[in-house]
C-alpha cells in the first residue's frame, strides 16, 4: 500500500531528522576527550533508512557493504565498529578513523541505521599519531579492525575493546572518543523512535523514501543543465608522497550519457609508494560529486543518497584512487582534497559563473609528543587550515577549514593541556590569489615548545600552487620552518616528516597554503584592495603588480595613476586565461 504524505508532514520529518543529525554532533563533542574531535569536530554522522541509504548526514552510506558481511546476524542492541579501509571497501579511508554503526529498531521492527566515524589521535603504528610520512604499506600505520560487534544485543564485547585500547599510545582519549561516537548513534536511534511514535512507523519509512526521491529528481535537473555530453577534463597534481616521488597527476573527465553523469578518473597516476593513496568507496566518490554539485549549483537541495544511481564512477584499479592492498593510506587527504579541486576545475568549465578556484589542498597536521617534567606522556595533534578559494559570491575565507563544521583548536586549550606556547597566529600576506574575488590567505602559526620531544608534520601545496580561475591568479604555497632555541635564523624543514627531535625553546613556524583568486583582479574594487592592504593581507607591491592599484605612502588609492596603470595592464595582457596554475616543478620543466 502506498502511503501518501502531505508536504507539511514531510517537512516536519525532514527537519526532525536534520536536528537529530546535528544533535549527534553535539553529543559527540561533549563526551569526547581528544582535541581533534572535541574541539575541531573531526567526526561525521549520518542517519540511514532500513536499506542503509543515507537520508541525512555528511558522508555517504557504507552500510550495505557491512550488512552483507553479517546477513541476518544483526539484532537490536548490536553496535559495530571498524577502521580497516580494505575490509570495508574504502568506506573509511585510513586507520585513524574509527567507524561505529548501530541498527535502529522501533518496537522490534528494523527501521534504519545510525553511524558516525571520527578521527582517533593514535592507533599504534611506527610513529605517534599513526600517520607516518614514509610508510610504504598499511602494516606500518597502526591497528586494523575489521567490522566487529563492540556490543552484541546490548552487552559490551570487552575483549574487542581491550584489543583496541591496548594498541594505542592514547587509550584514555580513544576510549572516551569511541564511547562518544556510540552515544551519538544512540541519540539518533532515540530521536528516530520518537519520530516513529509521533507520525507512525510506516509514515516515517515512507517519508525517508520520498526525501531520497526528491533529491534524485532535483539532481536530474542539475545533471541535464550543467553536465554536457561532450567530455570536459581537468588535471591537478599532488606535490609528493613523502618518499621523494612526485608530483602525482590526478586527471578527471566528466560527461553525460542520457540521464547518467559519468566521472572518469582514467589518466590518474598509478598508486604511490608512499602513504598518499586514497582507497575510496564508489558510493563515497559519488557523494563527493553530488555534494559539490548541490553546494555549487543549488544549495537548497537536501543532501542524501537519492542521486546515487544517476552517477557512474570509473576508478582505475591500481591508481592513486583505487590502490591495491597493502598500499599505505594514512596521509590520503592530499589526494582527497585534490579530488575536490579537480571537480571544481572540470565542472567550472561549463558554468564559470558558478565555479571556484583551488584551495589550500590538504588537511595539514602538527604532532608534538614527549614526556613532561613529571614523566607524563603527552601527544598534541592539531589540524591546521588554509585559504578557501575565491568564488562567485565573494572572497575566499582566510585560514578556514575545507570541512564546513570544523573549527580551530582554541589556543587556550593547547596552552592549558600541552607544554606549548602559541606565539602568533595570523594570515599570510599575499598568499590569497589576486582576483575580482580574492582567494583566502593561508595562516602562519608559531609554536614555542616548552619540553623536549619530537614533532611530525604533514602538509602539501608546497610546490604545486593552488590555481586561480576566470582570470584570477594562483595563491601562495606552504612552508615549514624550525628555529632552534638561541638562534635568530629559522631553517626550512620538509612538509612531510616524522619524529624530528626538538628541545625546549625551539620554535616551529607552520605556514599553510593560500588559495586561488576568482575573476579578473584588474576589475576588483579599489576600496577592497586598499582594505586588504590596511589589513596586511596584500602588500603595496602586489596591490600594484597584481591588481593595478597604486597605493600612496599615506595608504590612499591614487585613482588617476591606478586608472592609467590598469588600462595599460589590460592592453598588454590581452584576453584573460581561464586558469592560472603558476609554475609546477616537475611538470612545466618536463614540458619544456
Amino acid at each position: 500500500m502506498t502511503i501518501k504524505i502531505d508536504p507539511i508532514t514531510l517537512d516536519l520529518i525532514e527537519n526532525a531528522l536534520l536536528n537529530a543529525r546535528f544533535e549527534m554532533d553535539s553529543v559527540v563533542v561533549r563526551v569526547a576527550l581528544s582535541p581533534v574531535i572535541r574541539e575541531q569536530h573531526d567526526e561525521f554522522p549520518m542517519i540511514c533508512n532500513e536499506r542503509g541509504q543515507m537520508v541525512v548526514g555528511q558522508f555517504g552510506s557504507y552500510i550495505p557493504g557491512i550488512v552483507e558481511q553479517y546477513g541476518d546476524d544483526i539484532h537490536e542492541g548490536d553496535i559495530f565498529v571498524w577502521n580497516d579501509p580494505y575490509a570495508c571497501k574504502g568506506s573509511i579511508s585510513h586507520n585513524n578513523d574509527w567507524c561505529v554503526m548501530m541498527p535502529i529498531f522501533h518496537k522490534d521492527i528494523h527501521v534504519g541505521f545510525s553511524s558516525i566515524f571520527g578521527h582517533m589521535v593514535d592507533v599504534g603504528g611506527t610513529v605517534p599519531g599513526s600517520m607516518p610520512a614514509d610508510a610504504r604499506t598499511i602494516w606500518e600505520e597502526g591497528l586494523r579492525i575489521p567490522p566487529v560487534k563492540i556490543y552484541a544485543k546490548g552487552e559490551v564485547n570487552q575483549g574487542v575493546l581491550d584489543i583496541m585500547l591496548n594498541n594505542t599510545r592514547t587509550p584514555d582519549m580513544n576510549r572516551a572518543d569511541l564511547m562518544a561516537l556510540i552515544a551519538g548513534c544512540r541519540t539518533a536511534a532515540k530521536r528516530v523512535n520518537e519520530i516513529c511514535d509521533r507520525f507512525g512507523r510506516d509514515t516515517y519509512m515512507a517519508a525517508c523514501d520520498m526525501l531520497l526521491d526528491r533529491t534524485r529528481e532535483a539532481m536530474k535537473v542539475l545533471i541535464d543543465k550543467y553536465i554536457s555530453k561532450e567530455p570536459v577534463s581537468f588535471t591537478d597534481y599532488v606535490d609528493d608522497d613523502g618518499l621523494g616521488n612526485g608530483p602525482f597527476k590526478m586527471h578527471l573527465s566528466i560527461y553525460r550519457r542520457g540521464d547518467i553523469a559519468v566521472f572518469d578518473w582514467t589518466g590518474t597516476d598509478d598508486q604511490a609508494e608512499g602513504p598518499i593513496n586514497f582507497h575510496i568507496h564508489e558510493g563515497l566518490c559519488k557523494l563527493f560529486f553530488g555534494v559539490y554539485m548541490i553546494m555549487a549549483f543549488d544549495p537548497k537541495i537536501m543532501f542524501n543518497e537519492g542521486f546515487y544511481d544517476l552517477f557512474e564512477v570509473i576508478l582505475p584499479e591500481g591508481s592513486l584512487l583505487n590502490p591495491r592492498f597493502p598500499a599505505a593510506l594514512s596521509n590520503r587527504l592530499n589526494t582527497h582534497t585534490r579530488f575536490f579541486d579537480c571537480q571544481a576545475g572540470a565542472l567550472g568549465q561549463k558554468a564559470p559563473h558558478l565555479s571556484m578556484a583551488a584551495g589550500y589542498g590538504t588537511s595539514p597536521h602538527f604532532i608534538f609528543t614527549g614526556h613532561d617534567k613529571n614523566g607524563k606522556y603527552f601527544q598534541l595533534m592539531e589540524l591546521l587550515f588554509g585559504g578557501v578559494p575565491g568564488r562567485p559570491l565573494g572572497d575566499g575565507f582566510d585560514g578556514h577549514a575545507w570541512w564546513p563544521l570544523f573549527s580551530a583548536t582554541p589556543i587556550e586549550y593547547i596552552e592549558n593541556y600541552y607544554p606549548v606556547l602559541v606565539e602568533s597566529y595570523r594570515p599570510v600576506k599575499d598568499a590569497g590569489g589576486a582576483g575580482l574575488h580574492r582567494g583566502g590567505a593561508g595562516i602562519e602559526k608559531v609554536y614555542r615548545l616548552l619540553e623536549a620531544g619530537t614533532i611530525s608534520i604533514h602538509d602539501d601545496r608546497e610546490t604545486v600552487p593552488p590555481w586561480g580561475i576566470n582570470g584570477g591568479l594562483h595563491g601562495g604555497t606552504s612552508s615549514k620552518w624550525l628555529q632552534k632555541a638561541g638562534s635568530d635564523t629559522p631553517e626550512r624543514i620538509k612538509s612531510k616528516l616524522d619524529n624530528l627531535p626538538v628541545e625546549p625553546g625551539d620554535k616551529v613556524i607552520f605556514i599553510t597554503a593560500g588559495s586561488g583568486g576568482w575573476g579578473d583582479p584588474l576589475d576588483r574594487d579599489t576600496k577592497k584592495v586598499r582594505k586588504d592592504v590596511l589589513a596586511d593581507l596584500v602588500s603595496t607591491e602586489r596591490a600594484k603588480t597584481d591588481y593595478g592599484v597604486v597605493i600612496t605612502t599615506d595608504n590612499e588609492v591614487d585613482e588617476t595613476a591606478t586608472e592609467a596603470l590598469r588600462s595599460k595592464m589590460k592592453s598588454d595582457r590581452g584576453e584573460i586565461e581561464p586558469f592560472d596554475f603558476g609554475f609546477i616543478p616537475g611538470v612545466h620543466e618536463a614540458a619544456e
Side-chain angles (χ1 to χ4, degrees), residues 74-80 101-105 110 112-114 189:
I74 296 178
H75 309 282
E76 188 166 6
D78 289 351
I79 299 177
F80 298 79
M101 180 192 83
M102 176 180 177
I104 301 174
F105 290 81
H110 181 216
F113 295 90
S114 58

Side-chain angles (χ1 to χ4, degrees), residues 380-409:
L380 166 65
M381 176 183 174
E382 183 179 18
L383 302 176
L384 289 95
F385 308 136
V388 173
R391 58 218 162 94
L393 289 177
D395 294 347
F397 300 129
D398 305 316
H400 200 278
W402 261 118
W403 317 107
L405 299 180
F406 275 25
S407 61
T409 305

Side-chain angles (χ1 to χ4, degrees), residues 36 40 364-367 380-384 408-410 414 422 425 445 447:
V36 174
Q40 301 204 272
H365 69 247
F366 171 69
I367 297 173
L380 166 65
M381 176 183 174
E382 183 179 18
L383 302 176
L384 289 95
T409 305
I414 294 173
V422 178
Y425 183 53
K445 196 164 193 175
Y447 302 89

Side-chain angles (χ1 to χ4, degrees), residues 356-368:
M356 68 177 185
Y360 64 99
T362 184
S363 190
H365 69 247
F366 171 69
I367 297 173
F368 174 40

Side-chain angles (χ1 to χ4, degrees), residues 456-473:
S456 297
I457 286 174
H458 191 87
D459 200 0
D460 206 67
R461 289 266 189 222
E462 182 182 31
T463 59
V464 180
W467 43 266
I469 194 169
N470 300 335
L473 303 185

Side-chain angles (χ1 to χ4, degrees), residues 112-436:
F113 295 90
S114 58
S115 184
I116 311 179
F117 69 85
H119 183 103
M120 300 294 143
V121 293
D122 190 279
V123 293
T126 58
V127 301
S130 313
M131 294 181 286
D134 60 354
R136 288 175 167 82
T137 69
I138 197 169
W139 305 113
E140 301 160 67
E141 297 175 339
L143 178 69
R144 295 166 50 225
I145 309 160
V148 294
K149 293 184 182 182
I150 189 72
Y151 280 84
K153 297 182 180 179
E155 294 294 324
V156 66
N157 187 332
Q158 192 63 46
V160 168
L161 181 60
D162 288 345
I163 291 171
M164 293 171 69
L165 299 181
N166 196 52
N167 285 274
T168 170
R169 299 170 178 86
T170 56
D172 293 341
M173 281 189 177
N174 285 32
R175 180 186 179 91
D177 290 0
L178 174 62
M179 294 305 157
L181 301 180
I182 291 171
C185 288
R186 286 173 170 162
T187 298
K190 181 179 180 180
R191 298 301 177 229
V192 168
N193 269 268
E194 291 171 351
I195 297 170
C196 290
D197 288 341
R198 179 179 177 186
F199 297 100
R201 180 171 59 240
D202 292 340
T203 298
Y204 167 75
M205 296 175 76
C208 289
D209 289 341
M210 290 179 67
L211 293 172
L212 292 168
D213 290 343
R214 190 176 68 182
T215 295
R216 185 181 189 277
E217 292 305 308
M219 184 60 72
K220 285 177 67 175
V221 173
L222 297 187
I223 290 172
D224 184 66
K225 187 174 182 179
Y226 295 110
I227 296 184
S228 65
K229 292 182 180 179
E230 294 298 319
V232 292
S233 299
F234 192 81
T235 299
D236 204 347
Y237 296 85
V238 179
D239 284 358
D240 65 275
D241 66 351
L243 292 172
N245 307 306
F248 287 84
K249 179 175 70 173
M250 294 182 63
H251 183 79
L252 172 65
S253 296
I254 301 176
Y255 58 92
R256 176 165 52 88
R257 186 194 307 122
D259 290 335
I260 305 300
V262 181
F263 301 89
D264 185 357
W265 289 99
T266 300
T268 294
D269 277 349
D270 291 343
Q271 66 191 64
E273 181 184 12
I276 63 167
N277 302 291
F278 186 23
H279 182 52
I280 183 172
H281 185 273
E282 181 180 329
L284 286 181
C285 192
K286 292 178 178 181
L287 175 142
F288 295 144
F289 286 120
V291 70
Y292 180 89
M293 292 183 66
I294 288 172
M295 297 307 294
F297 303 141
D298 191 352
K300 293 180 182 178
I301 297 174
M302 184 180 183
F303 177 48
N304 60 39
E305 286 189 32
F307 56 77
Y308 270 26
D309 67 327
L310 298 175
F311 287 2
E312 178 184 334
V313 175
I314 299 172
L315 299 166
E317 185 179 0
S319 71
L320 207 59
L321 292 170
N322 189 8
R324 296 184 181 93
F325 179 83
L329 309 173
S330 58
N331 289 312
R332 83 286 182 231
L333 270 169
N334 303 332
T335 306
H336 188 173
T337 46
R338 206 69 79 255
F339 181 111
F340 296 140
D341 290 336
C342 286
Q343 280 181 256
L347 290 169
Q349 294 176 46
K350 290 297 181 181
H353 61 295
L354 295 172
S355 61
M356 68 177 185
Y360 64 99
T362 184
S363 190
H365 69 247
F366 171 69
I367 297 173
F368 174 40
T369 62
H371 292 82
D372 64 20
K373 62 187 67 176
N374 298 315
K376 183 180 178 182
Y377 178 74
F378 63 85
Q379 181 172 319
L380 166 65
M381 176 183 174
E382 183 179 18
L383 302 176
L384 289 95
F385 308 136
V388 173
R391 58 218 162 94
L393 289 177
D395 294 347
F397 300 129
D398 305 316
H400 200 278
W402 261 118
W403 317 107
L405 299 180
F406 275 25
S407 61
T409 305
I411 290 172
E412 296 84 355
Y413 181 97
I414 294 173
E415 295 183 342
N416 192 43
Y417 288 100
Y418 299 97
V420 173
L421 286 177
V422 178
E423 293 200 341
S424 66
Y425 183 53
R426 68 185 72 183
V428 178
K429 185 187 294 186
D430 294 328
L436 174 67

Side-chain angles (χ1 to χ4, degrees), residues 9 24 30 34 94-95 127 141 151 275 296 301 342 352 357 364 366 386 398 403 454 490 512 525 529 547 581-582 585:
T9 299
M24 294 169 76
R30 288 176 181 173
S34 75
H94 70 162
N95 293 353
V127 301
E141 297 175 339
Y151 280 84
I301 297 174
C342 286
F366 171 69
D398 305 316
W403 317 107
T454 62
T512 63
D525 188 334
V529 177
Y547 293 96
F581 293 98

